[in-house]
Amino acid sequence: MDRDAVEAFLIEEARLIDEKRWRDWQKLFSSDALYWIPSNRLDADPLQHVSFVYDDMELLNERLIRLESEFCFAQAVPSSTLHQISNIAIAPGEQDGEIAVRSNQVIYEFKNNSQRRLEPLNIFPAFCEHILRRADTDVWQMRYKKVGLLNCDAEITNLTFLL
Amino acid sequence: MNKPLDYKDLAQVDRTHISLYTDPSVLQDELERIFYRSWVYVAHDSELPNPGDYKATFIGLVPVIVSRDMAGKVHVLVNRCMHRGATVCATEKGNVKSFMCPYHGWEYGLDGQLTAVAMPRGYNPGEIDKDTLNLISAVRVESYRGIIFASLLAEPDVSLTDKLSGVKEYIDLYMDFSPVGEILVGNSGVSKHLYKGNWKIQVEGSVEGYHAPVTHATAFDVMIRKMGFPGNYQDQPLHGIDGGHGNNVLEVYRMPDEAVHKRWGPEFIDLLTQAHGRERAMEVLRTRFNMVLFPNFAILEYQFRVIRPIEPELTEVRLYHTTLKGVPAKFNTRRVREHEFFYGPASFGGPDDYAVFDRMGAGYHAQMAPWVYLNRGYLSETTDDHGRRVGGHTQETQQRAPYYEYRRLMAQTGK
């Protein structure tokens, strides 16, 4: 997978989230994947420390069911997001057929709702790590996605949209 | 001049007035009469285990330092240089020998005593009396099972023992989840939230049994389907309990033995049985509750919850995750995962509460509908063997409870 292909993968992944095509985004993960958003410290051990998100694919599926339901009040109205991707660096993965990708992403989140009081545009700068694995000849999947928020230690009340 | 507010009219037994949630002068009275003159939670022992350890936090709007001196004694100090007012501690946690003001180098010991000022020769005789310039210390600092409470400006008219007497058994149950009876607080994570609403909304909401199947429909769905949670929530024989002095308890579930075995497994049950005896171990494992210690502290399943007013309609809530001492790491990992599922900004439960709190905050500006009702189950409320008010778990006994103490404290005037 060359640099252009990696960049295209990240852009496509972000586009699926930003266009709320969550089930297509879900298909980018391998079935044994981990989707992790650390809290308080980016290097905190997730086995000993609470995370914002620490989803295996079963829990991610439940998360999507929740978001699709009409009873996810934290997403009434739903957040809109915009991912801006930069600083992409590529390294060989630990296992054969895998590559490790680091990127910086800035995720903008906005709820357009005049019925809620002051809902500012939120900005979440993040250090992202992807481990991509070749699933088929030309198909790559995410075996691991970590979104390390710059402000992971801050007062954050609502991260119920997808990052 | 405005007529002074009569809090007995505004905080009635079965309803509260919206001005209690929006009026800046009410918050000012609450700070002076409740937060600065009665017992408030400040820290847990495990957050400052060693001499020199400190935690910087707040009592109401007042920045304070909870410090442990070289003799092991805990002090609660107002984090404000006595000279020109800068905070003398700028970080949340750490270990120091003293606190120094960055403006003029005034230095204070772990007990708050002023030990040095920079360039002392510039003061003429009579211009400075160092003995009167120690950091202001809370008048009372006491703890129960590692939970540290302080009273900032006045001796509370209720002892800590009396304050906790109606809920002590629940604190004991919480601690005895550990085979050595001890927990660690916050080492395993802190979830930090802000919402645009009054602090009392969270006090009420931490023991709310009525809203859960509605607000948390999506979480309940997973809990019933995947985690073996009972589906007949409304029909559970559970209670809300007024523990006195504003404290209260909501029973969330109470499992039969069979369910305890299924949920906790033989290894954990054996561990607790060896530590506490069979009967006590099962009592600990079958009971799950939420509890508020009025005004600013709650204990929920895997967390110490600290509620801090910032403005009348802006509140910070911190969830300090707790882990058990004396258990294999995997049991604490499970506590991490289960907490994460329901609580925290990206979880399946908590964010829906804060969305609702925001909406309550907005709704309280409809002045033509001035009352918030807390009367569910009022007419059927009974009293238990300990003299505590008791109602069904989806009724509002535990929401009414804080306001008995609220009325009592707010009737006093600050000095």
Side-chain angles (χ1 to χ4, degrees):
Chain A
M1 202 179 192
D2 64 17
R3 185 187 171 79
D4 282 353
V6 167
E7 191 172 327
F9 185 98
L10 294 183
I11 290 171
E12 174 67 5
E13 194 228 328
R15 190 167 70 97
L16 293 176
I17 296 174
D18 294 343
E19 293 181 358
K20 297 190 172 63
R21 291 165 60 191
W22 302 328
R23 293 298 181 182
D24 291 331
W25 173 68
Q26 184 183 19
K27 288 179 196 145
L28 295 183
F29 288 96
S30 64
S31 59
D32 61 344
L34 174 69
Y35 173 47
W36 181 30
I37 306 177
S39 173
N40 299 153
R41 281 189 5 243
L42 296 183
D43 64 345
D45 176 357
L47 298 183
Q48 297 183 46
H49 195 286
V50 169
S51 298
F52 289 127
V53 172
Y54 191 79
D55 283 0
D56 60 16
M57 290 303 102
E58 190 180 337
L59 191 56
L60 180 65
N61 192 51
E62 295 293 348
R63 189 179 295 282
L64 296 184
I65 292 171
R66 168 172 147 81
L67 288 174
E68 288 163 348
S69 85
E70 57 186 308
F71 299 113
C72 180
F73 301 109
Q75 281 293 310
V77 294
S79 299
S80 293
T81 58
L82 183 153
H83 287 65
Q84 188 81 42
I85 304 166
S86 68
N87 301 43
I88 297 170
I90 302 169
E94 284 176 12
Q95 297 173 34
D96 282 350
E98 291 189 344
I99 54 174
V101 183
R102 288 174 177 272
S103 62
N104 290 357
Q105 300 198 5
V106 182
I107 302 147
Y108 301 90
E109 182 249 351
F110 184 62
K111 288 190 189 71
N112 181 16
N113 182 3
S114 65
Q115 289 305 301
R116 290 278 290 276
R117 297 184 292 177
L118 190 65
E119 287 285 354
L121 175 70
N122 289 309
I123 301 166
F124 295 93
F127 306 98
C128 289
E129 295 177 32
H130 289 71
I131 293 176
L132 304 181
R133 178 200 286 161
R134 192 197 298 272
D136 215 331
T137 324
D138 261 341
V139 179
W140 290 76
Q141 282 185 319
M142 300 186 284
R143 199 256 295 167
Y144 174 84
K145 177 178 179 179
K146 175 181 174 183
V147 183
L149 297 178
L150 182 65
N151 59 337
C152 70
D153 192 38
E155 289 77 15
I156 298 175
T157 303
N158 194 338
L159 269 187
T160 52
F161 54 94
L162 298 172
L163 289 170
Chain B
M1 198 177 119
N2 291 332
K3 184 170 162 275
L5 295 168
D6 188 335
Y7 288 103
K8 280 199 185 61
D9 292 338
L10 299 175
Q12 298 183 23
V13 175
D14 63 345
R15 68 189 65 188
T16 48
H17 192 270
I18 51 168
S19 63
L20 295 184
Y21 304 88
T22 54
D23 185 340
S25 71
V26 171
L27 177 59
Q28 195 52 47
D29 286 348
E30 289 170 346
L31 292 170
E32 288 171 9
R33 300 174 194 183
I34 299 174
F35 282 86
Y36 303 154
R37 287 192 157 72
S38 61
W39 293 109
V40 295
Y41 172 84
V42 289
H44 183 264
D45 265 336
S46 65
E47 294 178 277
L48 41 146
N50 305 307
D53 286 351
Y54 69 86
K55 169 196 180 183
T57 180
F58 295 86
I59 295 178
L61 301 186
V62 175
V64 299
I65 307 164
V66 188
S67 64
R68 190 179 294 280
D69 71 18
M70 288 305 159
K73 188 181 175 195
V74 174
H75 302 267
V76 176
L77 311 168
V78 174
N79 186 6
R80 185 250 195 236
C81 180
M82 294 302 283
H83 175 220
R84 296 275 279 277
T87 58
V88 297
C89 176
T91 44
E92 284 184 31
K93 283 183 86 163
N95 184 281
V96 292
K97 292 196 165 56
S98 61
F99 301 103
M100 194 191 76
C101 178
Y103 203 8
H104 304 96
W106 286 33
E107 203 169 279
Y108 300 89
L110 292 158
D111 58 358
Q113 196 172 15
L114 177 62
T115 51
V117 304
M119 296 182 277
R121 280 178 292 157
Y123 279 108
N124 299 302
E127 285 177 346
I128 185 167
D129 177 2
K130 279 166 67 173
D131 290 342
T132 65
L133 293 168
N134 301 323
L135 295 181
I136 294 169
S137 295
V139 294
R140 301 291 292 188
V141 181
E142 290 182 23
S143 68
Y144 180 69
R145 296 204 73 163
I147 308 173
I148 305 169
F149 299 86
S151 175
L152 193 58
L153 295 182
E155 182 89 16
D157 57 0
V158 176
S159 71
L160 185 62
T161 305
D162 286 348
K163 161 87 178 170
L164 300 180
S165 59
V167 293
K168 183 173 161 289
E169 65 186 272
Y170 289 95
I171 299 176
D172 293 338
L173 281 171
Y174 192 82
M175 298 301 172
D176 288 349
F177 242 93
S178 153
V180 296
E182 289 181 43
I183 61 169
L184 294 169
V185 175
N187 302 30
S188 46
V190 185
S191 307
K192 305 172 183 177
H193 307 267
L194 287 168
Y195 66 88
K196 294 183 284 282
N198 188 266
W199 65 277
K200 296 187 291 300
I201 293 174
Q202 178 68 88
V203 170
E204 297 162 11
S206 294
V207 284
E208 239 285 351
Y210 185 20
H211 79 299
V214 181
T215 308
H216 302 307
T218 59
F220 267 39
D221 186 36
V222 181
M223 288 158 72
I224 292 165
R225 194 156 40 82
K226 301 254 184 191
M227 300 178 185
F229 197 80
N232 57 338
Y233 176 80
Q234 186 177 191
D235 302 325
Q236 294 288 312
L238 302 171
H239 297 110
I241 299 156
D242 177 350
H245 301 297
N247 308 328
N248 53 29
V249 176
L250 164 68
E251 293 177 352
V252 177
Y253 55 72
R254 199 175 158 77
M255 292 187 287
D257 284 9
E258 191 188 339
V260 169
H261 286 282
K262 199 173 162 191
R263 173 147 170 72
W264 297 108
E267 197 185 338
F268 193 69
I269 294 173
D270 286 351
L271 193 66
L272 277 204
T273 300
Q274 282 165 25
H276 304 315
R278 178 95 187 154
E279 201 178 325
R280 177 66 178 169
M282 290 303 285
E283 180 64 11
V284 167
L285 292 169
R286 70 167 63 94
T287 309
R288 158 86 172 86
F289 54 86
N290 293 0
M291 169 165 57
V292 165
L293 303 184
F294 185 78
N296 70 328
F297 181 55
I299 299 177
L300 282 78
E301 193 157 20
Y302 303 124
Q303 69 192 261
F304 274 20
R305 176 178 288 185
V306 182
I307 302 160
R308 181 163 77 89
I310 296 172
E311 296 170 6
E313 298 179 80
L314 183 64
T315 303
E316 184 195 71
V317 181
R318 289 194 169 194
L319 316 184
Y320 294 80
H321 187 257
T322 63
T323 48
L324 308 174
K325 277 195 187 175
V327 304
K330 63 181 175 183
F331 293 122
N332 280 324
T333 298
R334 181 171 152 181
R335 280 176 87 84
V336 166
R337 292 287 89 82
E338 291 189 1
H339 172 89
E340 223 165 60
F341 169 77
F342 201 89
Y343 302 101
S347 70
F348 285 53
D352 296 319
D353 284 323
Y354 294 109
V356 171
F357 293 173
D358 269 2
R359 289 167 68 162
M360 291 163 81
Y364 289 172
H365 286 272
Q367 295 179 12
M368 56 294 301
W371 294 107
V372 177
Y373 290 100
L374 301 169
N375 63 340
R376 183 175 160 89
Y378 180 52
L379 296 177
S380 60
E381 204 169 76
T382 57
T383 310
D384 72 6
D385 297 342
H386 308 283
R388 303 178 295 200
R389 295 180 192 88
V390 175
H393 70 130
T394 77
Q395 296 177 327
E396 286 163 340
T397 293
Q398 66 281 16
Q399 274 81 45
R400 290 187 287 276
Y403 290 103
Y404 289 92
E405 185 74 345
Y406 185 88
R407 284 186 290 275
R408 193 181 77 80
L409 293 170
M410 292 295 277
Q412 303 172 346
T413 50
K415 287 190 284 267

